Amino acid sequence: MATGTREQIVALLRRDQRTVDELAAAVGTTDNAVRSHLAILERDGLVRVEGVRRTPGAGKPAVLYGLNPAADEVASRAYP
């Protein structure tokens, strides 16, 4: 049974916090597509920004996304 991209993102975030690039690689889509899905999931209260991951050297830190602790309750109403 195939699941949608948002469902895959939520399933991945149930396991651990991830960056946009990590999510894009895992679901097989672009980082811009993942950002679009994350924006909708944030709006719906399922996902939230958890922090940042800094890498050695120069560059902008990557934002870490995680599942909102109340996501199970929200998901049952938002995605029946």
Side-chain angles (χ1 to χ4, degrees), residues 19-35:
T19 66
V20 168
D21 288 340
E22 291 168 344
L23 290 167
V27 299
T29 190
T30 65
D31 57 344
N32 284 333
V34 168
R35 283 186 186 90

Side-chain angles (χ1 to χ4, degrees), residues 1-9 11 27:
M1 175 205 270
T3 60
T5 302
R6 284 188 204 129
E7 289 84 3
Q8 291 175 358
I9 290 170
V27 299

Side-chain angles (χ1 to χ4, degrees), residues 32-60:
N32 284 333
V34 168
R35 283 186 186 90
S36 176
H37 288 296
L38 286 171
I40 292 167
L41 291 167
E42 279 186 282
R43 180 201 67 199
D44 292 347
L46 294 169
V47 171
R48 67 181 184 178
V49 173
E50 295 283 326
V52 294
R53 180 181 297 151
R54 298 190 185 280
T55 56
K60 187 175 178 182

